[in-house]
Coordinates of all heavy atoms in Angstrom, one line a residue:
M1 N -22.4 4.9 -8.2 CA -21.7 3.7 -7.9 C -20.3 3.9 -7.5 O -19.6 4.8 -8.0 CB -21.8 2.7 -9.1 CG -23.2 2.4 -9.5 SD -24.2 1.6 -8.2 CE -24.1 -0.1 -8.7
I2 N -19.8 3.0 -6.7 CA -18.4 3.1 -6.2 C -17.7 1.8 -6.6 O -18.2 0.7 -6.2 CB -18.4 3.4 -4.7 CG1 -19.1 4.7 -4.5 CG2 -17.0 3.3 -4.2 CD1 -19.2 5.1 -3.0
K3 N -16.6 1.9 -7.3 CA -15.9 0.7 -7.7 C -15.0 0.2 -6.6 O -14.3 1.0 -5.9 CB -15.0 1.0 -8.9 CG -15.8 1.3 -10.1 CD -15.0 1.4 -11.4 CE -15.8 1.7 -12.6 NZ -17.1 1.0 -12.8
V4 N -15.1 -1.1 -6.3 CA -14.2 -1.8 -5.4 C -13.6 -3.0 -6.0 O -14.3 -3.7 -6.7 CB -15.0 -2.2 -4.1 CG1 -14.0 -2.8 -3.1 CG2 -15.8 -1.1 -3.5
T5 N -12.3 -3.2 -5.8 CA -11.6 -4.3 -6.4 C -11.1 -5.2 -5.2 O -10.5 -4.7 -4.3 CB -10.4 -3.9 -7.2 OG1 -10.9 -3.2 -8.3 CG2 -9.6 -5.2 -7.7
Y6 N -11.5 -6.5 -5.3 CA -11.1 -7.5 -4.3 C -10.0 -8.4 -4.9 O -10.3 -9.0 -6.0 CB -12.2 -8.4 -3.9 CG -13.4 -7.6 -3.3 CD1 -14.4 -7.0 -4.1 CD2 -13.5 -7.4 -1.9 CE1 -15.4 -6.2 -3.6 CE2 -14.6 -6.7 -1.3 CZ -15.5 -6.1 -2.2 OH -16.5 -5.4 -1.7
V7 N -8.8 -8.5 -4.3 CA -7.7 -9.2 -4.9 C -7.6 -10.5 -4.0 O -7.2 -10.4 -2.8 CB -6.4 -8.4 -4.9 CG1 -5.3 -9.2 -5.6 CG2 -6.6 -7.1 -5.6
A8 N -7.8 -11.6 -4.6 CA -7.6 -12.9 -3.9 C -6.1 -13.3 -3.8 O -5.3 -12.7 -4.4 CB -8.4 -14.0 -4.7
Q9 N -5.9 -14.3 -2.9 CA -4.5 -14.7 -2.7 C -3.8 -15.1 -3.9 O -2.6 -14.9 -4.1 CB -4.6 -15.9 -1.7 CG -4.9 -15.5 -0.3 CD -3.6 -15.0 0.5 OE1 -2.6 -15.7 0.5 NE2 -3.7 -13.9 1.0
D10 N -4.5 -15.7 -4.9 CA -3.8 -16.1 -6.2 C -3.7 -15.0 -7.2 O -3.3 -15.2 -8.3 CB -4.6 -17.3 -6.8 CG -6.0 -16.9 -7.3 OD1 -6.4 -15.8 -7.1 OD2 -6.7 -17.8 -7.8
G11 N -4.1 -13.8 -6.8 CA -4.0 -12.6 -7.6 C -5.2 -12.3 -8.5 O -5.3 -11.3 -9.2
T12 N -6.3 -13.2 -8.4 CA -7.5 -12.9 -9.1 C -8.2 -11.6 -8.6 O -8.3 -11.5 -7.4 CB -8.5 -14.1 -8.9 OG1 -7.8 -15.3 -9.3 CG2 -9.8 -13.9 -9.7
R13 N -8.5 -10.8 -9.5 CA -9.2 -9.5 -9.1 C -10.6 -9.6 -9.5 O -11.0 -9.9 -10.6 CB -8.5 -8.3 -9.9 CG -7.0 -8.2 -9.5 CD -6.3 -7.2 -10.4 NE -6.5 -5.8 -10.0 CZ -5.8 -5.2 -9.1 NH1 -4.8 -5.8 -8.6 NH2 -6.0 -3.9 -8.9
T14 N -11.5 -9.2 -8.5 CA -12.9 -9.1 -8.8 C -13.3 -7.7 -8.6 O -13.1 -7.1 -7.6 CB -13.7 -10.0 -7.8 OG1 -13.2 -11.3 -7.9 CG2 -15.2 -10.0 -8.1
N15 N -13.9 -7.1 -9.7 CA -14.3 -5.7 -9.6 C -15.8 -5.6 -9.4 O -16.6 -6.3 -10.1 CB -14.0 -5.0 -10.9 CG -12.5 -5.0 -11.2 OD1 -11.7 -4.7 -10.3 ND2 -12.1 -5.5 -12.4
I16 N -16.2 -4.8 -8.4 CA -17.6 -4.6 -8.1 C -18.0 -3.2 -8.2 O -17.3 -2.3 -7.8 CB -17.9 -5.1 -6.6 CG1 -17.5 -6.6 -6.5 CG2 -19.3 -4.8 -6.2 CD1 -18.4 -7.5 -7.3
D17 N -19.3 -2.9 -8.7 CA -19.8 -1.6 -8.5 C -20.8 -1.6 -7.4 O -21.8 -2.3 -7.4 CB -20.6 -1.2 -9.8 CG -19.7 -0.9 -11.0 OD1 -18.6 -0.3 -10.7 OD2 -20.0 -1.3 -12.1
A18 N -20.5 -0.9 -6.3 CA -21.2 -0.9 -5.1 C -22.0 0.4 -4.9 O -21.6 1.4 -5.5 CB -20.3 -1.2 -3.9
D19 N -23.0 0.3 -4.0 CA -23.7 1.6 -3.7 C -23.0 2.3 -2.7 O -22.4 1.8 -1.8 CB -25.1 1.2 -3.2 CG -26.0 0.6 -4.2 OD1 -25.9 1.0 -5.4 OD2 -26.8 -0.3 -3.9
E20 N -23.1 3.7 -2.8 CA -22.6 4.5 -1.7 C -23.2 4.2 -0.4 O -24.5 4.0 -0.4 CB -22.8 6.0 -2.1 CG -22.2 7.0 -1.2 CD -22.4 8.4 -1.6 OE1 -22.7 8.7 -2.8 OE2 -22.3 9.3 -0.7
G21 N -22.5 4.1 0.7 CA -23.1 3.8 2.0 C -23.0 2.4 2.3 O -23.2 2.0 3.4
D22 N -22.8 1.5 1.3 CA -22.7 0.1 1.5 C -21.4 -0.2 2.2 O -20.5 0.7 2.2 CB -22.7 -0.7 0.2 CG -23.3 -2.1 0.3 OD1 -23.5 -2.5 1.4 OD2 -23.4 -2.8 -0.7
S23 N -21.2 -1.3 2.8 CA -19.9 -1.7 3.4 C -19.1 -2.5 2.4 O -19.7 -3.2 1.5 CB -20.0 -2.4 4.7 OG -20.5 -3.7 4.5
V24 N -17.8 -2.6 2.6 CA -16.9 -3.4 1.8 C -17.3 -4.9 1.9 O -17.3 -5.6 1.0 CB -15.5 -3.2 2.1 CG1 -14.5 -4.1 1.4 CG2 -15.1 -1.7 1.7
M25 N -17.7 -5.3 3.1 CA -18.2 -6.6 3.4 C -19.5 -6.9 2.6 O -19.6 -7.9 1.9 CB -18.4 -6.9 4.9 CG -19.0 -8.3 5.2 SD -20.7 -8.5 5.0 CE -21.4 -7.6 6.4
H26 N -20.5 -6.1 2.8 CA -21.8 -6.3 2.2 C -21.7 -6.3 0.7 O -22.3 -7.2 0.0 CB -22.8 -5.3 2.7 CG -24.2 -5.7 2.3 ND1 -24.8 -5.1 1.2 CD2 -25.1 -6.6 2.7 CE1 -26.0 -5.6 1.0 NE2 -26.2 -6.5 1.9
A27 N -20.9 -5.4 0.1 CA -20.8 -5.4 -1.3 C -20.2 -6.7 -1.8 O -20.6 -7.2 -2.9 CB -19.9 -4.2 -1.7
A28 N -19.2 -7.3 -1.1 CA -18.6 -8.5 -1.5 C -19.6 -9.7 -1.4 O -19.8 -10.5 -2.3 CB -17.4 -8.8 -0.6
V29 N -20.3 -9.8 -0.2 CA -21.2 -10.9 0.0 C -22.4 -10.9 -1.1 O -22.7 -11.9 -1.6 CB -21.8 -10.9 1.4 CG1 -22.9 -11.8 1.6 CG2 -20.6 -11.2 2.4
S30 N -22.9 -9.7 -1.3 CA -24.0 -9.6 -2.2 C -23.6 -9.8 -3.7 O -24.4 -10.0 -4.6 CB -24.8 -8.3 -2.1 OG -23.9 -7.2 -2.2
N31 N -22.3 -9.8 -3.9 CA -21.8 -10.1 -5.3 C -21.0 -11.4 -5.4 O -20.3 -11.7 -6.3 CB -20.9 -9.0 -5.8 CG -21.8 -7.7 -6.2 OD1 -22.3 -7.7 -7.2 ND2 -21.8 -6.8 -5.3
D32 N -21.2 -12.3 -4.3 CA -20.6 -13.6 -4.3 C -19.1 -13.6 -4.5 O -18.5 -14.4 -5.2 CB -21.2 -14.5 -5.4 CG -22.7 -14.8 -5.2 OD1 -23.1 -14.9 -4.0 OD2 -23.4 -14.8 -6.2
V33 N -18.4 -12.6 -3.8 CA -17.0 -12.6 -3.8 C -16.5 -13.7 -2.9 O -16.7 -13.6 -1.7 CB -16.4 -11.2 -3.5 CG1 -14.9 -11.2 -3.4 CG2 -16.9 -10.2 -4.5
D34 N -15.7 -14.6 -3.4 CA -15.1 -15.6 -2.5 C -14.1 -15.0 -1.6 O -13.3 -14.2 -2.0 CB -14.4 -16.7 -3.3 CG -15.4 -17.8 -3.8 OD1 -16.5 -17.9 -3.2 OD2 -15.0 -18.5 -4.8
G35 N -14.1 -15.4 -0.3 CA -13.1 -14.9 0.6 C -13.6 -13.9 1.6 O -12.9 -13.6 2.6
I36 N -14.8 -13.4 1.4 CA -15.4 -12.5 2.5 C -16.7 -13.3 2.9 O -17.5 -13.5 2.0 CB -15.7 -11.1 1.9 CG1 -14.5 -10.4 1.5 CG2 -16.6 -10.4 3.0 CD1 -13.7 -9.8 2.7
V37 N -16.8 -13.6 4.1 CA -18.0 -14.4 4.6 C -19.0 -13.5 5.2 O -20.2 -13.5 4.9 CB -17.5 -15.5 5.6 CG1 -18.7 -16.3 6.0 CG2 -16.5 -16.4 4.9
G38 N -18.6 -12.7 6.2 CA -19.5 -11.8 6.9 C -20.6 -12.5 7.7 O -21.7 -12.2 7.6
E39 N -20.1 -13.5 8.5 CA -21.0 -14.4 9.2 C -22.0 -13.7 10.1 O -23.2 -14.0 10.2 CB -20.2 -15.4 10.0 CG -21.0 -16.6 10.4 CD -20.1 -17.7 10.9 OE1 -19.4 -17.4 11.9 OE2 -20.1 -18.8 10.3
C40 N -21.6 -12.6 10.7 CA -22.4 -11.9 11.7 C -23.3 -10.8 11.1 O -24.0 -10.1 11.8 CB -21.6 -11.4 12.9 SG -20.7 -9.9 12.5
G41 N -23.1 -10.6 9.8 CA -23.9 -9.6 9.1 C -23.5 -8.2 9.3 O -24.2 -7.3 8.9
G42 N -22.3 -8.0 9.9 CA -21.7 -6.7 10.0 C -21.8 -6.1 11.4 O -21.6 -4.9 11.5
S43 N -22.1 -6.9 12.4 CA -22.2 -6.3 13.7 C -20.9 -6.5 14.5 O -20.9 -6.4 15.7 CB -23.4 -6.9 14.4 OG -23.3 -8.3 14.4
M44 N -19.8 -6.7 13.8 CA -18.5 -6.8 14.5 C -18.4 -7.9 15.5 O -18.0 -7.7 16.6 CB -18.1 -5.4 15.0 CG -16.7 -5.1 14.9 SD -16.2 -3.4 14.9 CE -16.7 -2.9 16.5
M45 N -18.9 -9.1 15.2 CA -19.0 -10.2 16.1 C -18.3 -11.4 15.6 O -18.3 -12.5 16.2 CB -20.4 -10.5 16.4 CG -21.2 -9.5 17.1 SD -20.7 -9.1 18.8 CE -21.3 -10.6 19.6
C46 N -17.7 -11.4 14.4 CA -17.2 -12.6 13.8 C -15.7 -12.6 13.2 O -15.1 -13.6 13.2 CB -18.1 -13.1 12.7 SG -18.1 -12.2 11.2
A47 N -15.3 -11.5 12.7 CA -14.0 -11.4 12.0 C -13.9 -12.2 10.7 O -12.8 -12.4 10.2 CB -12.9 -11.7 12.9
T48 N -15.0 -12.7 10.2 CA -15.0 -13.4 8.9 C -15.1 -12.5 7.7 O -15.3 -12.9 6.6 CB -16.1 -14.5 8.8 OG1 -17.3 -13.9 8.8 CG2 -15.9 -15.5 9.9
C49 N -14.9 -11.2 8.0 CA -14.9 -10.2 6.9 C -13.5 -9.6 6.8 O -13.4 -8.5 6.2 CB -16.0 -9.2 7.1 SG -15.7 -8.2 8.6
H50 N -12.5 -10.2 7.4 CA -11.2 -9.7 7.5 C -10.7 -9.4 6.1 O -10.8 -10.2 5.2 CB -10.3 -10.7 8.2 CG -8.9 -10.4 8.3 ND1 -7.9 -11.3 8.6 CD2 -8.2 -9.2 8.2 CE1 -6.7 -10.7 8.7 NE2 -6.9 -9.5 8.5
C51 N -10.1 -8.2 5.9 CA -9.4 -7.9 4.6 C -8.2 -7.0 4.9 O -8.0 -6.6 6.0 CB -10.4 -7.2 3.6 SG -10.7 -5.5 4.1
Y52 N -7.4 -6.9 3.9 CA -6.2 -6.0 4.0 C -6.4 -4.9 3.0 O -6.5 -5.1 1.8 CB -4.9 -6.8 3.6 CG -4.7 -8.1 4.4 CD1 -4.9 -9.3 3.8 CD2 -4.2 -8.0 5.7 CE1 -4.7 -10.5 4.5 CE2 -4.0 -9.2 6.4 CZ -4.3 -10.4 5.9 OH -4.1 -11.6 6.6
V53 N -6.4 -3.7 3.5 CA -6.5 -2.5 2.6 C -5.2 -2.3 1.8 O -4.1 -2.4 2.4 CB -6.8 -1.2 3.5 CG1 -6.8 0.0 2.6 CG2 -8.1 -1.4 4.2
D54 N -5.3 -2.1 0.5 CA -4.2 -1.9 -0.3 C -3.4 -0.7 0.2 O -3.9 0.3 0.6 CB -4.6 -1.7 -1.8 CG -3.5 -1.7 -2.7 OD1 -3.1 -2.8 -3.2 OD2 -2.9 -0.6 -3.0
D55 N -2.0 -0.8 0.1 CA -1.2 0.3 0.6 C -1.6 1.7 0.1 O -1.6 2.6 0.8 CB 0.3 0.0 0.2 CG 0.9 -1.1 1.0 OD1 0.4 -1.4 2.1 OD2 2.0 -1.5 0.6
A56 N -2.0 1.7 -1.2 CA -2.3 3.0 -1.8 C -3.6 3.6 -1.2 O -3.8 4.8 -1.4 CB -2.5 2.8 -3.3
W57 N -4.4 2.8 -0.6 CA -5.6 3.3 0.0 C -5.7 3.4 1.5 O -6.7 3.9 2.1 CB -6.8 2.4 -0.5 CG -7.0 2.5 -1.9 CD1 -6.5 1.9 -3.0 CD2 -7.9 3.5 -2.5 NE1 -7.0 2.3 -4.2 CE2 -7.8 3.3 -3.9 CE3 -8.8 4.5 -2.0 CZ2 -8.6 4.1 -4.8 CZ3 -9.5 5.3 -2.9 CH2 -9.4 5.0 -4.2
A58 N -4.6 3.0 2.1 CA -4.6 3.0 3.6 C -4.9 4.3 4.2 O -5.7 4.4 5.2 CB -3.2 2.5 4.1
E59 N -4.4 5.4 3.7 CA -4.6 6.7 4.3 C -6.1 7.1 4.2 O -6.7 7.6 5.1 CB -3.7 7.7 3.7 CG -3.5 9.0 4.6 CD -2.4 9.9 4.0 OE1 -1.3 9.4 3.7 OE2 -2.7 11.1 4.0
K60 N -6.6 6.9 3.0 CA -8.0 7.3 2.8 C -9.0 6.5 3.6 O -10.0 7.0 4.1 CB -8.4 7.2 1.3 CG -8.0 8.4 0.5 CD -8.6 8.4 -0.9 CE -8.3 9.7 -1.6 NZ -8.5 9.7 -3.0
V61 N -8.7 5.2 3.8 CA -9.6 4.4 4.5 C -9.5 4.7 6.0 O -10.5 4.7 6.7 CB -9.3 2.9 4.3 CG1 -10.1 2.0 5.2 CG2 -9.7 2.5 2.8
G62 N -8.3 5.0 6.5 CA -8.1 5.3 7.9 C -7.9 4.1 8.7 O -7.9 3.0 8.3
P63 N -7.6 4.4 10.0 CA -7.2 3.3 10.9 C -8.4 2.5 11.4 O -9.6 3.0 11.4 CB -6.6 4.1 12.1 CG -7.2 5.4 12.1 CD -7.6 5.7 10.7
R64 N -8.2 1.3 11.9 CA -9.3 0.5 12.5 C -9.6 1.0 13.9 O -8.7 1.6 14.6 CB -8.9 -0.9 12.5 CG -7.7 -1.3 13.2 CD -7.4 -2.8 13.0 NE -6.2 -3.2 13.7 CZ -5.1 -3.6 13.1 NH1 -5.0 -3.8 11.7 NH2 -4.0 -4.0 13.8
S65 N -10.8 0.7 14.4 CA -11.2 1.1 15.7 C -10.7 0.1 16.7 O -10.2 -1.0 16.4 CB -12.7 1.1 15.7 OG -13.2 -0.2 15.6
A66 N -10.8 0.5 18.0 CA -10.4 -0.5 19.1 C -11.3 -1.7 19.0 O -10.8 -2.8 19.3 CB -10.6 0.2 20.4
G67 N -12.5 -1.6 18.7 CA -13.4 -2.8 18.6 C -12.9 -3.7 17.5 O -13.0 -4.9 17.6
E68 N -12.5 -3.2 16.4 CA -11.9 -4.0 15.3 C -10.7 -4.7 15.8 O -10.5 -5.9 15.5 CB -11.6 -3.2 14.1 CG -12.8 -2.8 13.3 CD -12.4 -1.9 12.1 OE1 -11.9 -2.5 11.1 OE2 -12.5 -0.7 12.2
D69 N -9.8 -4.0 16.5 CA -8.6 -4.6 17.1 C -9.0 -5.8 17.9 O -8.3 -6.9 17.7 CB -7.9 -3.6 18.0 CG -6.9 -2.8 17.2 OD1 -6.4 -3.2 16.2 OD2 -6.6 -1.7 17.7
D70 N -10.0 -5.7 18.7 CA -10.4 -6.8 19.6 C -10.9 -8.0 18.8 O -10.5 -9.1 19.0 CB -11.5 -6.4 20.5 CG -11.0 -5.4 21.6 OD1 -9.8 -5.3 21.7 OD2 -11.8 -4.7 22.2
M71 N -11.7 -7.7 17.8 CA -12.2 -8.9 17.0 C -11.2 -9.5 16.1 O -11.2 -10.7 16.0 CB -13.4 -8.4 16.0 CG -14.7 -8.3 16.6 SD -15.2 -9.7 17.6 CE -15.0 -11.0 16.5
L72 N -10.2 -8.7 15.6 CA -9.2 -9.3 14.8 C -8.3 -10.2 15.5 O -7.6 -11.0 14.9 CB -8.4 -8.2 14.1 CG -9.2 -7.5 12.9 CD1 -8.5 -6.2 12.5 CD2 -9.2 -8.5 11.7
E73 N -8.3 -10.1 16.8 CA -7.4 -11.1 17.6 C -7.9 -12.5 17.3 O -7.1 -13.5 17.5 CB -7.6 -10.8 19.1 CG -6.7 -9.6 19.5 CD -6.9 -9.3 21.0 OE1 -7.4 -10.2 21.7 OE2 -6.6 -8.2 21.4
G74 N -9.1 -12.7 16.9 CA -9.7 -14.0 16.6 C -9.7 -14.3 15.1 O -10.2 -15.4 14.7
A75 N -9.0 -13.5 14.3 CA -9.0 -13.8 12.9 C -8.3 -15.0 12.5 O -7.2 -15.3 13.2 CB -8.5 -12.5 12.1
A76 N -8.7 -15.7 11.5 CA -8.0 -17.0 11.1 C -6.7 -16.7 10.4 O -5.8 -17.5 10.6 CB -9.0 -17.7 10.2
S77 N -6.6 -15.6 9.7 CA -5.3 -15.4 9.0 C -4.5 -14.3 9.7 O -5.0 -13.5 10.5 CB -5.6 -15.0 7.5 OG -6.2 -16.0 6.8
E78 N -3.2 -14.2 9.3 CA -2.4 -13.2 9.9 C -2.9 -11.8 9.9 O -3.5 -11.4 8.9 CB -1.0 -13.2 9.1 CG 0.0 -12.3 9.7 CD 1.2 -12.1 8.8 OE1 1.2 -12.5 7.6 OE2 2.1 -11.4 9.2
V79 N -2.8 -11.1 11.0 CA -3.3 -9.7 11.1 C -2.1 -8.8 10.9 O -1.0 -9.0 11.5 CB -3.9 -9.5 12.5 CG1 -4.3 -8.0 12.6 CG2 -5.2 -10.3 12.6
T80 N -2.2 -7.8 10.0 CA -1.1 -6.9 9.7 C -1.6 -5.5 10.0 O -2.8 -5.3 10.3 CB -0.6 -7.0 8.2 OG1 -1.6 -6.4 7.4 CG2 -0.4 -8.5 7.8
E81 N -0.7 -4.5 9.8 CA -1.1 -3.1 10.0 C -2.2 -2.7 9.0 O -2.9 -1.7 9.2 CB 0.1 -2.2 9.9 CG 0.8 -2.2 8.6 CD 2.0 -1.3 8.6 OE1 2.4 -0.9 9.6 OE2 2.6 -1.1 7.5
R82 N -2.4 -3.4 7.9 CA -3.4 -3.1 6.9 C -4.7 -3.9 7.1 O -5.6 -3.7 6.3 CB -2.9 -3.4 5.5 CG -1.7 -2.6 5.1 CD -2.1 -1.2 4.6 NE -1.0 -0.4 4.3 CZ -0.4 0.6 5.1 NH1 -0.9 0.8 6.3 NH2 0.6 1.2 4.7
S83 N -4.8 -4.7 8.2 CA -6.0 -5.5 8.4 C -7.1 -4.6 8.9 O -7.0 -3.7 9.7 CB -5.7 -6.5 9.5 OG -4.8 -7.5 9.1
R84 N -8.3 -4.9 8.3 CA -9.5 -4.2 8.7 C -10.7 -5.3 8.7 O -10.6 -6.3 8.0 CB -9.9 -3.1 7.7 CG -9.0 -1.9 7.7 CD -9.1 -1.1 9.0 NE -10.5 -0.7 9.4 CZ -11.1 0.4 9.1 NH1 -10.4 1.3 8.4 NH2 -12.3 0.7 9.5
L85 N -11.7 -4.9 9.4 CA -13.0 -5.7 9.2 C -13.7 -5.0 8.1 O -14.1 -3.8 8.3 CB -13.8 -5.7 10.5 CG -13.2 -6.4 11.7 CD1 -14.1 -6.3 12.9 CD2 -13.0 -7.9 11.4
S86 N -14.0 -5.7 7.0 CA -14.5 -5.0 5.9 C -15.9 -4.5 6.1 O -16.4 -3.6 5.4 CB -14.5 -5.9 4.6 OG -15.1 -7.1 4.8
C87 N -16.6 -5.1 7.1 CA -18.0 -4.6 7.5 C -17.9 -3.2 8.1 O -19.0 -2.5 8.1 CB -18.7 -5.5 8.4 SG -18.0 -5.7 10.0
Q88 N -16.8 -2.8 8.5 CA -16.6 -1.5 9.2 C -16.1 -0.4 8.2 O -15.9 0.7 8.6 CB -15.7 -1.6 10.4 CG -16.2 -2.6 11.4 CD -17.6 -2.2 11.9 OE1 -17.9 -1.1 12.4 NE2 -18.6 -3.1 11.8
I89 N -15.9 -0.8 6.9 CA -15.5 0.2 5.9 C -16.7 0.6 5.1 O -17.2 -0.2 4.3 CB -14.3 -0.3 5.0 CG1 -13.2 -0.8 5.9 CG2 -13.9 0.8 4.1 CD1 -12.1 -1.5 5.1
K90 N -17.2 1.8 5.3 CA -18.3 2.3 4.5 C -17.8 3.0 3.3 O -16.9 3.7 3.3 CB -19.2 3.3 5.4 CG -19.7 2.7 6.6 CD -20.8 1.6 6.3 CE -21.3 1.0 7.6 NZ -21.3 -0.4 7.6
L91 N -18.5 2.7 2.2 CA -18.1 3.2 0.9 C -18.6 4.6 0.7 O -19.8 4.9 0.7 CB -18.6 2.3 -0.2 CG -17.9 0.9 -0.2 CD1 -18.5 -0.1 -1.1 CD2 -16.4 1.1 -0.6
T92 N -17.7 5.5 0.5 CA -18.0 6.9 0.2 C -17.4 7.3 -1.2 O -16.6 6.5 -1.7 CB -17.3 7.8 1.3 OG1 -15.9 7.6 1.2 CG2 -17.9 7.5 2.7
P93 N -17.8 8.4 -1.8 CA -17.2 8.7 -3.1 C -15.7 8.8 -3.0 O -15.0 8.5 -4.0 CB -17.8 10.1 -3.4 CG -19.2 10.1 -2.6 CD -18.9 9.3 -1.4
E94 N -15.1 9.2 -1.9 CA -13.7 9.3 -1.8 C -13.0 7.9 -1.9 O -11.8 7.8 -2.2 CB -13.3 9.9 -0.4 CG -13.7 11.3 -0.1 CD -15.2 11.5 0.1 OE1 -15.8 10.6 0.7 OE2 -15.7 12.5 -0.4
L95 N -13.8 6.9 -1.7 CA -13.2 5.5 -1.8 C -13.5 4.9 -3.1 O -13.2 3.7 -3.3 CB -13.7 4.6 -0.7 CG -13.3 5.1 0.8 CD1 -13.8 4.1 1.8 CD2 -11.8 5.2 0.9
D96 N -13.9 5.6 -4.1 CA -14.2 5.1 -5.5 C -12.8 4.6 -6.0 O -11.9 5.3 -6.1 CB -14.8 6.1 -6.4 CG -15.2 5.6 -7.7 OD1 -15.5 4.4 -7.8 OD2 -15.2 6.4 -8.7
G97 N -12.8 3.3 -6.4 CA -11.6 2.7 -6.9 C -10.8 1.9 -5.8 O -9.8 1.3 -6.1
L98 N -11.4 1.8 -4.6 CA -10.7 1.1 -3.5 C -10.3 -0.3 -3.9 O -11.0 -1.0 -4.6 CB -11.7 1.0 -2.3 CG -11.2 0.3 -1.1 CD1 -10.1 1.0 -0.4 CD2 -12.4 0.1 -0.1
V99 N -9.1 -0.7 -3.4 CA -8.6 -2.0 -3.6 C -8.3 -2.7 -2.3 O -7.7 -2.0 -1.4 CB -7.3 -2.0 -4.4 CG1 -6.7 -3.4 -4.6 CG2 -7.5 -1.4 -5.8
V100 N -8.9 -3.8 -2.0 CA -8.6 -4.6 -0.8 C -8.2 -6.0 -1.2 O -8.5 -6.5 -2.2 CB -9.9 -4.7 0.1 CG1 -10.3 -3.3 0.6 CG2 -11.0 -5.4 -0.5
H101 N -7.3 -6.5 -0.3 CA -6.8 -7.9 -0.6 C -7.4 -8.9 0.4 O -7.7 -8.5 1.6 CB -5.3 -7.9 -0.4 CG -4.6 -6.9 -1.3 ND1 -4.0 -7.4 -2.5 CD2 -4.4 -5.6 -1.3 CE1 -3.5 -6.3 -3.1 NE2 -3.7 -5.2 -2.4
L102 N -7.7 -10.1 0.0 CA -8.4 -11.1 0.8 C -7.4 -12.0 1.5 O -6.3 -12.3 1.0 CB -9.3 -11.9 -0.2 CG -10.3 -11.0 -0.9 CD1 -11.0 -11.9 -2.0 CD2 -11.3 -10.4 0.0
P103 N -7.7 -12.4 2.7 CA -6.9 -13.2 3.5 C -6.9 -14.7 2.9 O -7.8 -15.0 2.2 CB -7.4 -13.2 4.9 CG -8.8 -12.8 4.7 CD -8.9 -12.0 3.5
E104 N -6.0 -15.5 3.4 CA -5.9 -16.9 3.0 C -7.2 -17.6 3.4 O -7.7 -18.5 2.6 CB -4.7 -17.5 3.6 CG -4.2 -18.7 3.0 CD -2.9 -19.2 3.5 OE1 -2.2 -18.4 4.2 OE2 -2.5 -20.3 3.3
E105 N -7.7 -17.4 4.6 CA -8.9 -18.1 5.0 C -9.6 -17.2 6.1 O -9.0 -16.3 6.7 CB -8.5 -19.4 5.7 CG -7.5 -19.4 6.8 CD -7.0 -20.7 7.2 OE1 -7.5 -21.7 6.7 OE2 -6.1 -20.8 8.0
Q106 N -10.8 -17.5 6.3 CA -11.6 -16.7 7.2 C -12.0 -17.6 8.5 O -12.6 -17.0 9.4 CB -12.9 -16.2 6.6 CG -12.6 -15.2 5.5 CD -12.2 -13.8 6.0 OE1 -11.8 -13.6 7.1 NE2 -12.3 -12.8 5.1
F107 N -11.8 -18.9 8.4 CA -12.1 -19.7 9.6 C -10.9 -20.5 10.1 O -10.0 -20.8 9.3 CB -13.2 -20.8 9.2 CG -14.5 -20.1 8.8 CD1 -14.9 -20.0 7.5 CD2 -15.4 -19.7 9.9 CE1 -16.1 -19.4 7.2 CE2 -16.6 -19.2 9.5 CZ -17.0 -19.0 8.2
Ligands
FES201 S1 -19.1 -9.3 9.3 FE1 -18.8 -10.1 11.3 S2 -17.2 -8.8 12.0 FE2 -17.6 -8.0 10.0

């Protein structure tokens, strides 16, 4: 299992034990984490899985792809250098303990 922490705008932290190979989006949706919608199911067509990778994890998670850049142009909340589509972050053992922050809104 890989631990992921989702931090809401109000500071509420939700800790999830996810399966290796799962995405940060799917782990959130299947555990009813408010703030990640994942409307397209992970096919990079919606941007409702927008999240901000915590500074401490940015290097391990790596940069977003050009396709993510394109989709994030339609994101509801501010896009920063830490913005990612959480459906595109696959959970590996190296990401055990990952912390992501949730945007204000997804629509
Ligand atoms: S779930 Fe739709 S872009 Fe990530």
Side-chain angles (χ1 to χ4, degrees):
M1 299 301 261
I2 298 176
K3 293 191 183 312
V4 185
T5 298
Y6 301 84
V7 184
Q9 286 278 305
D10 67 359
T12 304
R13 299 169 79 88
T14 304
N15 301 309
I16 297 296
D17 286 322
D19 291 327
E20 184 178 339
D22 208 355
S23 71
V24 172
M25 177 280 284
H26 188 259
V29 169
S30 55
N31 285 282
D32 296 324
V33 175
D34 276 342
I36 297 283
V37 180
E39 198 169 59
C40 76
S43 53
M44 218 158 59
M45 299 290 287
C46 72
T48 64
C49 63
H50 181 195
C51 72
Y52 306 104
V53 174
D54 191 87
D55 285 345
W57 288 90
E59 199 171 316
K60 274 192 177 163
V61 171
R64 57 185 181 244
S65 67
E68 284 180 77
D69 271 335
D70 290 345
M71 276 315 303
L72 283 165
E73 283 179 17
S77 293
E78 181 190 8
V79 174
T80 74
E81 61 183 10
R82 297 280 179 259
S83 289
R84 291 292 309 265
L85 294 178
S86 59
C87 66
Q88 301 302 305
I89 305 173
K90 298 292 180 230
L91 292 167
T92 60
E94 293 72 37
L95 295 182
D96 187 27
L98 176 66
V99 178
V100 297
H101 299 262
L102 302 172
E104 198 171 346
E105 54 189 354
Q106 296 286 16
F107 293 101

